[in-house]
Amino acid sequence: MDAGALRVRYITSEGQEQETSLASVDGSHVARGLPVRIPPSYVGQSNYPGLFWSATNAGHVWYESLLELAWLWLADFDPHVRRIAAQPFELTGRDGERDRTRFPDFLVIDEHQEVRVIDVKLERMLDKPDVRASLNWTGHALGARGWPYEVWSGAHPTILRNVRLLAAARRPNIVPDSAVDSVVASCPATGTSLGELERSARATATTATPRIVVFAALWRGQLVCDLRAPINARTLVSAA
């Protein structure tokens, strides 16, 4: 597939509509732009659109369903992600004898300024031939541009629950950097329980509760734990 023959339409951060070839589009400009479409909201709809406040963007990101909201929680927690864009561009081009138009759900930029594109789809939808054909075409098109493409269908509920719990400490200025650095420094090389770290934080934190200090260190990736089990005072925590 020729990326030069595929067209991309996006909206800049200043609200200017731009159209160019997929081969020449600048992913960083797309990532910092506005959504090319806003998810509709109407009485009786079966999905749940809304706005998600992203610590990564320090601003709101649109989502069109609860599944997209789940993906956003995990993307916001991912320490490699530097920017999240929803409904980032319109992609058009030929697919055999027909024309296709796609609006991928998300685009992210990582710490190396690399682009990744994500579509969020319920697993049961992936068995539908028309859905699979559309996603396959999108993957081949973006692959021709050199952009990784992922179809995401959900995460383990315990991981999602833990990430949402840690998100209590994600907003800036909730926990001083000095308090986070202190609790990270108190963590032994072999690791210790979250409860022990809370006790260390209690001795040094003056403007935040001890558990929030530990949560902030986990959210920032300075401490790590097994997210596949519910987080509690017995959770083993270690330095990243």
Side-chain angles (χ1 to χ4, degrees):
M1 191 178 291
D2 179 11
L6 300 167
R7 304 299 295 175
V8 168
R9 181 177 66 88
Y10 68 98
I11 311 295
T12 68
S13 58
E14 295 82 21
Q16 306 259 327
E17 184 173 308
Q18 301 288 327
E19 185 173 334
T20 185
S21 71
L22 177 61
S24 60
V25 68
D26 188 325
S28 64
H29 290 171
V30 176
R32 285 163 178 78
L34 304 175
V36 294
R37 61 180 287 273
I38 301 299
S41 179
Y42 52 89
V43 175
Q45 69 185 113
S46 57
N47 59 318
Y48 297 89
L51 287 167
F52 171 82
W53 189 86
S54 163
T56 301
N57 286 14
H60 287 96
V61 180
W62 279 101
Y63 63 88
E64 197 165 5
S65 67
L66 294 181
L67 190 63
E68 288 191 9
L69 177 59
W71 180 87
L72 279 169
W73 279 114
L74 299 183
D76 207 35
F77 179 65
D78 188 338
H80 303 295
V81 173
R82 295 293 183 267
R83 185 74 184 176
I84 304 168
Q87 302 291 314
F89 59 86
E90 176 191 69
L91 176 65
T92 58
R94 296 289 292 175
D95 181 9
E97 299 300 315
R98 62 168 292 178
D99 293 321
R100 281 203 184 273
T101 299
R102 286 294 330 281
F103 296 88
D105 294 322
F106 297 104
L107 178 148
V108 299
I109 300 283
D110 68 14
E111 73 268 44
H112 305 298
Q113 296 302 301
E114 297 294 327
V115 171
R116 180 164 52 96
V117 179
I118 300 93
D119 268 319
V120 175
K121 284 283 182 286
L122 290 168
E123 194 166 353
R124 67 172 182 269
M125 297 293 294
L126 302 181
D127 293 330
K128 295 180 179 291
D130 56 337
V131 172
R132 177 50 60 189
S134 177
L135 297 177
N136 284 342
W137 178 83
T138 305
H140 288 137
L142 297 174
R145 174 63 173 82
W147 287 355
Y149 174 66
E150 174 188 351
V151 178
W152 191 87
S153 297
H156 193 285
T158 301
I159 294 176
L160 183 59
R161 175 260 187 195
N162 283 334
V163 168
R164 293 180 66 177
L165 180 67
L166 297 178
R170 71 192 176 120
R171 287 182 178 267
N173 304 320
I174 285 181
V175 182
D177 291 344
S178 59
V180 175
D181 292 341
S182 178
V183 78
V184 171
S186 72
C187 185
T190 55
T192 188
S193 71
L194 188 148
E196 285 296 327
L197 284 178
E198 282 187 272
R199 282 185 276 278
S200 296
R202 188 172 291 112
T204 57
T206 58
T207 59
T209 62
R211 180 155 293 194
I212 287 295
V213 175
V214 179
F215 281 6
L218 287 165
W219 180 269
R220 298 178 190 184
Q222 294 174 254
L223 295 174
V224 295
C225 68
D226 184 359
L227 295 176
R228 295 168 298 178
I231 291 175
N232 55 45
R234 297 184 299 278
T235 296
L236 180 64
V237 178
S238 57

